[in-house]
Each structure stands twice: as structure tokens, then as C-alpha cells.
Amino acid sequence: MVQHQLRGLFSVIDDCSFRVSNFDMLSGDDVHWWGAVGDDFQNLTNGFLISDSNLNQTYKNDSFIVHLLKNVTWDQIKVLSIWDIPTASNFGHILLSNYSVNGGVSSSNTEQPTMFENCKVLSDNYRIRWSFKEGENMIDIGLEAAIGIQDYMAFGWANPNASSSLMVGGDVAVTGFEEDGMPFARDYYITKYSECMINEDGTVQGKDGVSFIRYRRPLRSNDNNYDLEVDPMANMIVIWATGLVKPPDSLRPFYLPQNHGGSYGHLRLNISEQVNDCLGPLDAKDKEDQDLVIADKKEPLVISTAPALHYPNPPNPSKVLYINKKEAPLLRGNATLRNMSETIYFGGPEAEGVQADPAELVWAPDRNTPDLVYYQSLYVPKMGWKVHVVDGGLPDMYNNSVSLDDQQVMFFWTLSENSISIAARGEKKSGYLAVGFGRGMVNSYIYVGWVDDSGIGRVNTYWIDGRDALDVHPTKENLTYVRCKSENGIITLEFTRPLNPSCDRNARPECNNIIDPSTPLKVIWAMGAQWSDDHLSVRNMHFVTSKRPMSVLLMRGSAEAEEDLRPVLAVHGFMMFLAWGILLPGGILAARYLKHVKDDNWYRIHVNLQYSGLAIVFLGFLFAVAELRGLNLDSLHVKFGMVAILLAVAQPVNAYLRPKKPGPGEEACSKRVIWEYSHIIIGRCAIVVGIAALISGMKHLGERYGDENVHGLSWALIVWFLIGALTVIYLEYREINSKRSRISGRSNWVLGNGEEEDADLLNPSRQMTDKVSHSSERMEIQLEPLSR
């Protein structure tokens, strides 16, 4: 078997005919008997018809004779296949040994993994097949069910001493498929679901919507505590069940069966008896096993090649096409522009590229596009698969759409005056889809969509304030136009909600769930296997979640990922704090309050601090521009920063152009006074704007990166500047008292000739004192009374 549930027995009758018995097969399009010289991709696709008989129907345990064409002999056929010509599909094949004149032709004696001696129907969509050879301590079991890829198949033996529940004490094997399509088979002893360490040699096949897993188990095991002994001659009770399987999560790193949901049972079975009550192949309603990728309008699809693992239409080359990291998925595209003239680009030799330089292929289906087309490589056949062209979709119902973190969820929205309509669609199979507003699952508002056991789509709202199931609190948000559906395991949820809930914010948590279209909306997501409308528990835990929130710009129609704080930007912040919070303010304080220091040391301190701070500002600015690869003035923080830098740069230029200072006893010229005013005002304004840039930078850090320490750092920054402000107030108070003392005559001596650099042209009282001290050039010492 390769696909279409093909099974049967083959035997050669003579040189021109063969017999097929117990033949099962689901119908195809144009199916024939096919011959090839090898079972590889190249030889099978270059094969040939060997019979006029066609196989365009479903077969159920049928037997018949097939005659070869007159020009076909057995020595030409190394592989006999059942082949669907339109799709170049191999339904199944058998290898033939070398032809000899005396011995004729014979088939390979290799045991096929899908063939068993016995078959028993467990339910309408679940069967067990087995082979047992007397004298051996092993039994080969094949579990076959028309179920979803997310379901498990369980089968085992009940405890013969069980009095009430046959499940308790049972020894069962739980089989299924992992997310990557690989099979698993686990041995369970049903009490507390203790897992036994038995290695299962499994063979797997999942085609046409039917799961098939083969494994082998011993009749008598060395584990006497948990494994039950199987008596091959006795009528023993066997138990079975199917249901959803829960993928691994952060608590349990292995696949676990969920509740069987009513699909279970038991019967008596004697494995030594010959039984075959399986009439025909299982026919699943949903035969699409592969992944589904929905091609939304204006959303790019990433096409690449990779080794074939589970190609849906064998045979196939060694490498096939992958779309958005999914192997040869079923692609669904929307044909919406049905009344407009569109140019359609179908590709060609120019449509090729590599990962570093990809080529762009734009295709817009129109009203003449068939419902089913195929995407393929131009040069290598059978690398792609089907494209279903359907009418409309979510992109046509919503004005904006973005792909959330890890490209696993699509987020759609349309803004109205007082409300917002939202839709979310998972890009992988799951039991439920949850989207939330917040920086993480904790302290977030969550919308969960799932389909319940009765097939009804549900969307519930929650407020999460912790990491346990008890911390997930149901809310009563005002949702309208609520819809949820599951298509091939893909969950889509939709709802409309008000932007501002009309309730008291102190009444319920959901009343604070306000959406401001002008502010980036932080969106997160999660997927899990099963959701419950009432009591939540560990079984409802997600198996995959977003790694970081996305900032969705509702009015702009775009999104950007929340990034971790980059080390270079952290250095940028520290350097700016060092410059604007310590060095530059320190230089101003030196010029204001250290003029009493001898030898003009205050001036050297002032200049050194200012130039050091300015150099660090430039380095911090260059680090940020280099890390962000450009300068974007959209942010308030960047605007404040650029203004502060311009003001800081103006100070050295201002100092270079300063007018000559007045001589002893001379009045300052108007240019000198204007320079004094401009130098002081620009310097102080630079400090104020620089502090605003630091504070806005902390706010920007919290909005963009969601750093947990931003709140504490912001308060530390505010406290630092408050301490600085209090220090300035204290120093200014001392300066005022000192000036009052000099004017009132408390100082004993005033020495000097008035040529100091510390003349304060902005202080009239200081100027008056200087005038008095220089009223007579002949006097070098002026005596003043201690009191008047």
C-alpha cells in the first residue's frame, strides 16, 4: 500500500495473466495496471501500461483475473503497480523476482507492513488487524482508523480480574502522530497512567484520512507489575478507544491521550482464531491529510525546497516544494477580482531565486481560474501539489491583516467609530486558538475559540492574572457577531467588540480592556489540544504559544515584533544618562557655584565636564543609529534627543564666538550681555530637554521592549533628578545669602582689582558692588565699617 487503502494478494497464473484476490482500493480518476523496471521515482513515472483493464471503482475484498497486453511479457516487468495516470500517482506496487524460463515469475517474499492474517471491526471507523504465529512469543498488531491526524488510537487487554471498570487495570498501547508527522506508540497501564519503558518497533502510514500504525508486543513480558500476559488460546477481553491526543507542553514532555469522548468499547478476542470481517477499505470523509496553507491577499508565501518526508502524492523526487515551512501543503487562494481585468503571471524560467535573493511571483486568480489547479516546478515534476481556488475569505471581509509572532497566527481587523471587528486564524492544527491583548499571558485579556463536542463554535473571554489554571477568570465582554469554525484542524475565530467598554472600571477587570487605536496594541497567541467551557485544568494547557508580543498599529495597518533589549541600546541609555544626568549638569553647577575657587579652576572643571559630556553624547548617538540602521524621527524620544543634541552642540560654537570681556571698571557691551544671556539660557534649556529625552527614553523602552525593570528604573531616574533639583535649590539659597552678606557689609575685606573672570553680568547687585570697588583707581584697599 502507498495510498487509497490498497491491499490484496497477487499470484501469477501463466505467461500472460495473474490473479488478484482479497483486493481493497478506493477509487481514483483513471487507474490502470502499470509496469516499470524499478520502484524509484524516475522509473515509475517512465513506466507503461500492461493491461487493458481499468480500475475506476472502489473494490471491497474482490478477486479477479487480469490479462497482460499482447506486447508485454513478464521479463519486462520488475515492478507491477496500480497507477493513476492524470495525477501520476502510485496507489501501490509489488516487486517481482527475475523471470526464468523454467521457474516463471514470482513475487517478492517480503512481508508488507499493511498486510495481516486477521482483521476485526471495532467500530464503523476503527479496525484492528493482527498476525500471530503459533510458537512465537510475539504478536503483530495494526491499528487502522478513519480519524483526524490529531486523534489517538488505543488498544489493549483488560485485566481479567477487573470487577467493575474494564479500563482500570488495563494494559493498552496508545498510538498516534506527532506534530511533525512521525508516529509514536506508548504502553500504558491504566491506574494513574504510569508509562512503561517498553520499546515499540512501529511502522506507520497515514493516507486518505486513515491513520494506520503497526507495532509488535510480546505475549508474556518481563514486566510483571504492569504488563498483562496474553493467552493466545483464550477468549480474552480487549478494550479500545479513540480521542484527541495532547501534544507535549512545559509540564509533560510527551504525548498524552485526552478523554476518548464516547468513542470506546470492548469485546472478546481469541488471537489464534482466523477472523476477517473487514469488508473493503475504510473511507474517510476528510481525505486531505496534509497541511493547509491559506494564501491571503497581499500576504507573501515563502517557497523553498527540502527533502520529501510525507509527500501527499507519491512517487516523488527526493526534494519537494515547501510553502511557509510546510511540505507540499494544500494551498487555498481567493479569487475575488471577478469583474476586473487582471494580468496573471504563471511563472516560467525567470521565476527562480535563492534564499538570499528570492524571486517574486505574483498571481491573481480571476473568474476564469479553475477551482483546482496545481503549483509545480517547471523542470522537475511532482514537487508541488494542489491549489484550491475559492470565493472570498477573511482578507476581503477585513481592512487590515498582519502575521503574528512566528507566523503561526493571522490577525485581521476593521476599525469603526466606536468598535473594532477582529478575526484570528491559526496556521497549524489545534483544538483551540487563543489570542490576547497584553505583553504576556499574565495580566492579559484573552479570547479563546474552539468547537465543542456538539460541533458548535464557541468564543469565550478571560482575564489571566497568574500561571495556574485557577488564575484564568471568565469575563463577560460585550461581543457581537461571534463565529468560530475548525477546518481541517485550522481554527478561525471572529467577533466584534466596543473600543471602550461601557462599564465602571472598578466593577470588573474586563471594563479596563480599552483599545486605543492611536496606541500600539500588544497581541499574543496560544494553541492547545482541548478547551473546556466550565472547569479548566492542566489538560487545557497550550502546547505552543507566541514567544513575544506583536505591536499592532491599528490605524496604520501594520505590526512590528516586540524585540528584546539590545545590548548596544542599553549602552546607549547608560551613556546618555552619564552625559545628561551627571557630566553636563555638573559642568553647569561648577560655573555657577565654584567661582570662589582660586586660579580659575572652576573654569577648567566647567570646560572639561562639558566637553566630556558632549563627546559621550555623540558616541551614544552613533551607537543607537548604527544599531537601528538609521534615524527615524517618529518617536518622541528621538525628537527630544535631537533637540538636546543641537542645543548642546551650539554651546561650544557659542563659547568660541563670545565677545571680549570688559576691562576693570568698564561696563559690559551689549554684545557681551546678549552672549551671557544666550550662553546660560541655551545651556539650561539643553539640560531640561536632555532630561526630557532620558525620561521619554525610559517610556519608549517600556513600550517597545516590555522590560520588567523599566518601572523601577523610571522611578530611580526621577528620584535622581529630584535629588539634583534639591541640591541646586540648596546651593542657590547659600549663594543668595552670601550676596546679601556682602551688600549688608558683613564681610571684613574685599581684596582684588576687579579683573576676575567671575563677573556676573546677569546680577545687577554684583555689578553695583564692582562699580563701588573700582570708583577710585588710586585706592588699592577699601576699608568698610563693620556696622552702620
Side-chain angles (χ1 to χ4, degrees):
M1 179 200 296
V2 177
Q3 55 183 318
H4 278 244
Q5 302 306 302
L6 180 70
R7 285 185 178 88
L9 300 175
F10 168 88
S11 60
V12 175
I13 298 178
D14 51 33
D15 289 346
C16 57
S17 61
F18 59 91
R19 177 187 297 276
V20 176
S21 56
N22 298 333
F23 186 65
D24 289 347
M25 189 190 74
L26 296 175
S27 63
D29 295 326
D30 188 12
V31 187
H32 295 268
W33 296 100
W34 193 260
V37 297
D39 62 347
D40 59 288
F41 169 67
Q42 192 68 31
N43 282 316
L44 281 176
T45 53
N46 293 331
F48 50 91
L49 287 173
I50 65 171
S51 175
D52 290 330
S53 301
N54 57 42
L55 301 167
N56 298 329
Q57 67 181 62
T58 296
Y59 292 87
K60 299 180 179 180
N61 281 17
D62 291 321
S63 299
F64 48 87
I65 295 176
V66 180
H67 298 279
L68 300 180
L69 293 173
K70 293 182 179 180
N71 60 340
V72 175
T73 59
W74 286 117
D75 59 344
Q76 298 174 300
I77 306 172
K78 305 301 181 185
V79 177
L80 188 146
S81 168
I82 295 178
W83 190 263
D84 187 57
I85 294 178
T87 59
S89 298
N90 178 25
F91 288 4
H93 61 266
I94 188 169
L95 302 179
L96 302 180
S97 61
N98 293 330
Y99 176 82
S100 63
V101 177
N102 297 327
V105 65
S106 62
S107 61
S108 172
N109 292 324
T110 303
E111 184 179 11
Q112 299 303 315
T114 58
M115 293 298 295
F116 292 86
E117 299 173 355
N118 307 280
C119 183
K120 184 73 175 177
V121 174
L122 301 178
S123 68
D124 292 339
N125 65 341
Y126 191 15
R127 298 173 177 177
I128 176 177
R129 299 176 183 269
W130 77 93
S131 295
F132 165 69
K133 295 181 179 179
E134 190 174 354
E136 295 185 0
N137 187 36
M138 306 296 293
I139 179 174
D140 291 308
I141 297 176
L143 301 181
E144 180 184 34
I147 55 177
I149 196 68
Q150 297 171 286
D151 290 0
Y152 68 85
M153 299 177 291
F155 178 84
W157 275 261
N159 189 341
N161 300 321
S163 57
S164 55
S165 175
L166 295 176
M167 287 289 180
V168 176
D171 178 12
V172 300
V174 177
T175 65
F177 295 92
E178 299 177 357
E179 289 184 309
D180 58 1
M182 297 302 293
F184 69 87
R186 300 286 185 269
D187 189 21
Y188 287 92
Y189 177 74
I190 305 179
T191 52
K192 296 181 180 180
Y193 293 92
S194 300
E195 186 176 3
C196 299
M197 303 303 294
I198 292 183
N199 294 326
E200 307 276 358
D201 182 14
T203 302
V204 62
Q205 188 159 0
K207 291 290 182 183
D208 315 301
V210 176
S211 296
F212 175 82
I213 291 183
R214 176 174 181 148
Y215 64 96
R216 174 177 293 179
R217 66 152 289 169
L219 300 180
R220 287 173 293 276
S221 172
N222 295 327
D223 189 349
N224 297 322
N225 294 326
Y226 296 113
D227 283 343
L228 298 177
E229 181 177 341
V230 178
D231 187 351
M233 301 301 174
N235 288 325
M236 302 186 67
I237 299 177
V238 294
I239 52 179
W240 59 269
T242 61
L244 287 174
V245 65
K246 180 177 176 58
D249 53 41
S250 58
L251 296 181
R252 292 177 173 84
F254 41 83
Y255 289 80
L256 286 175
Q258 300 275 348
N259 190 294
H260 46 66
S263 181
Y264 65 98
H266 68 278
L267 53 86
R268 289 191 174 272
L269 185 66
N270 188 333
I271 63 173
S272 62
E273 294 181 354
Q274 295 293 319
V275 179
N276 188 5
D277 58 5
C278 301
L279 181 61
L282 279 178
D283 193 359
K285 294 180 180 180
D286 185 6
K287 295 182 174 60
E288 299 291 352
D289 294 314
Q290 72 275 27
D291 291 320
L292 173 67
V293 171
I294 299 178
D296 292 323
K297 181 172 58 179
K298 297 182 180 179
E299 286 294 327
L301 302 175
V302 180
I303 314 296
S304 58
T305 61
L309 300 177
H310 308 287
Y311 186 75
N313 184 36
N316 52 270
S318 58
K319 285 190 173 183
V320 298
L321 296 178
Y322 280 65
I323 299 181
N324 290 357
K325 302 180 181 180
K326 297 180 179 179
E327 179 184 4
L330 175 66
L331 185 62
R332 180 164 298 165
N334 297 327
T336 58
L337 305 177
R338 294 186 173 274
N339 298 317
M340 298 179 63
S341 176
E342 291 289 326
T343 301
I344 300 177
Y345 299 91
F346 291 98
E350 72 282 357
E352 61 175 332
V354 295
Q355 186 173 4
D357 184 22
E360 184 181 38
L361 175 65
V362 180
W363 178 40
D366 62 14
R367 63 190 306 270
N368 298 319
T369 303
D371 292 341
L372 178 62
V373 294
Y374 295 85
Y375 62 93
Q376 294 291 352
S377 167
L378 182 65
Y379 301 108
V380 181
K382 300 194 70 176
M383 290 186 69
W385 191 222
K386 299 177 182 178
V387 180
H388 281 173
V389 182
V390 298
D391 292 333
L394 292 178
D396 302 293
M397 295 188 290
Y398 295 88
N399 295 338
N400 307 280
S401 64
V402 295
S403 178
L404 298 183
D405 180 50
D406 208 19
Q407 296 184 335
Q408 294 296 324
V409 175
M410 286 297 300
F411 186 76
F412 306 84
W413 75 93
T414 296
L415 279 172
S416 301
E417 183 177 358
N418 298 315
S419 64
I420 180 172
S421 298
I422 293 175
R425 184 188 66 224
E427 297 298 324
K428 65 187 305 181
K429 298 177 181 180
S430 63
Y432 70 82
L433 170 64
V435 293
F437 303 151
R439 299 187 184 278
M441 283 296 175
V442 180
N443 296 326
S444 62
Y445 301 94
I446 302 296
Y447 303 85
V448 181
W450 82 102
V451 178
D452 60 20
D453 295 337
S454 59
I456 300 175
R458 309 283 298 276
V459 177
N460 281 8
T461 61
Y462 300 89
W463 160 252
I464 301 179
D465 58 4
R467 300 187 179 277
D468 297 328
L470 296 177
D471 298 322
V472 182
H473 309 288
T475 58
K476 297 180 180 179
E477 291 197 31
N478 183 20
L479 302 186
T480 56
Y481 303 103
V482 178
R483 289 185 293 269
C484 183
K485 65 178 181 179
S486 177
E487 185 177 14
N488 197 26
I490 300 298
I491 300 290
T492 302
L493 62 90
E494 300 178 73
F495 60 88
T496 299
R497 53 148 292 175
L499 294 174
N500 192 350
S502 57
C503 57
D504 185 6
R505 296 188 181 181
N506 297 322
R508 302 191 306 271
E510 63 268 25
C511 298
N512 295 297
N513 187 12
I514 301 172
I515 296 180
D516 182 3
S518 63
T519 303
L521 181 65
K522 311 297 183 183
V523 183
I524 55 178
W525 61 265
M527 298 183 199
Q530 183 182 16
W531 195 255
S532 176
D533 193 25
D534 44 21
H535 179 66
L536 298 177
S537 62
V538 176
R539 72 176 63 180
N540 305 119
M541 177 176 287
H542 56 260
F543 57 75
V544 62
T545 184
S546 54
K547 298 180 179 64
R548 65 188 70 187
M550 291 286 289
S551 294
V552 178
L553 308 177
L554 297 174
M555 299 185 69
R556 190 180 300 178
S558 61
E560 56 185 18
E562 287 272 324
E563 300 179 356
D564 295 331
L565 180 59
R566 305 177 189 177
V568 175
L569 296 182
V571 173
H572 162 80
F574 175 76
M575 295 178 73
M576 290 303 184
F577 169 75
L578 182 62
W580 293 107
I582 298 178
L583 297 178
L584 295 176
I588 292 179
L589 294 178
R592 176 65 178 165
Y593 303 112
L594 295 182
K595 289 183 178 180
H596 62 277
V597 179
K598 294 181 180 181
D599 299 329
D600 292 340
N601 285 331
W602 70 269
Y603 181 74
R604 285 190 288 271
I605 295 174
H606 170 74
V607 171
N608 291 335
L609 288 178
Q610 297 302 91
Y611 279 114
S612 298
L614 195 58
I616 292 177
V617 166
F618 268 110
L619 287 176
F621 171 75
L622 293 177
F623 282 173
V625 171
E627 181 68 13
L628 299 176
R629 298 182 180 180
L631 182 62
N632 190 343
L633 296 177
D634 293 341
S635 169
L636 181 64
H637 167 65
V638 177
K639 293 176 181 177
F640 274 132
M642 291 304 300
V643 172
I645 291 175
L646 291 176
L647 292 174
V649 170
Q651 288 298 79
V653 178
N654 184 294
Y656 178 78
L657 299 176
R658 65 179 177 176
K660 184 179 179 182
K661 69 179 179 179
E666 296 180 358
E667 289 189 5
C669 63
S670 59
K671 291 184 178 180
R672 178 75 182 190
V673 174
I674 293 174
W675 177 85
E676 286 271 358
Y677 273 105
S678 63
H679 188 70
I680 292 175
I681 292 174
I682 292 175
R684 293 175 181 177
C685 288
I687 292 299
V688 172
V689 179
I691 292 173
L694 287 176
I695 296 175
S696 63
M698 295 299 297
K699 184 175 183 296
H700 183 69
L701 175 67
E703 290 178 353
R704 185 175 182 89
Y705 299 101
D707 197 293
E708 298 179 355
N709 300 321
V710 167
H711 186 71
L713 290 174
S714 300
W715 276 108
L717 188 64
I718 293 173
V719 170
W720 172 262
F721 286 123
L722 286 176
I723 293 174
L726 292 175
T727 303
V728 170
I729 292 173
Y730 172 74
L731 292 175
E732 196 66 23
Y733 174 77
R734 289 191 57 184
E735 183 74 9
I736 293 174
N737 286 340
S738 176
K739 291 176 181 178
R740 287 178 179 176
S741 299
R742 286 195 295 269
I743 294 174
S744 62
R746 291 194 203 121
S747 58
N748 295 327
W749 299 93
V750 177
L751 302 178
N753 56 10
E755 296 182 356
E756 297 92 340
E757 185 66 29
D758 62 347
D760 191 351
L761 299 180
L762 301 181
N763 193 325
S765 62
R766 181 66 176 269
Q767 288 181 345
M768 187 177 297
T769 304
D770 291 343
K771 281 187 178 182
V772 174
S773 64
H774 298 292
S775 59
S776 175
E777 296 182 357
R778 290 174 297 177
M779 295 181 63
E780 295 184 358
I781 299 177
Q782 177 179 336
L783 301 177
E784 294 181 356
L786 295 175
S787 62
R788 294 182 182 180

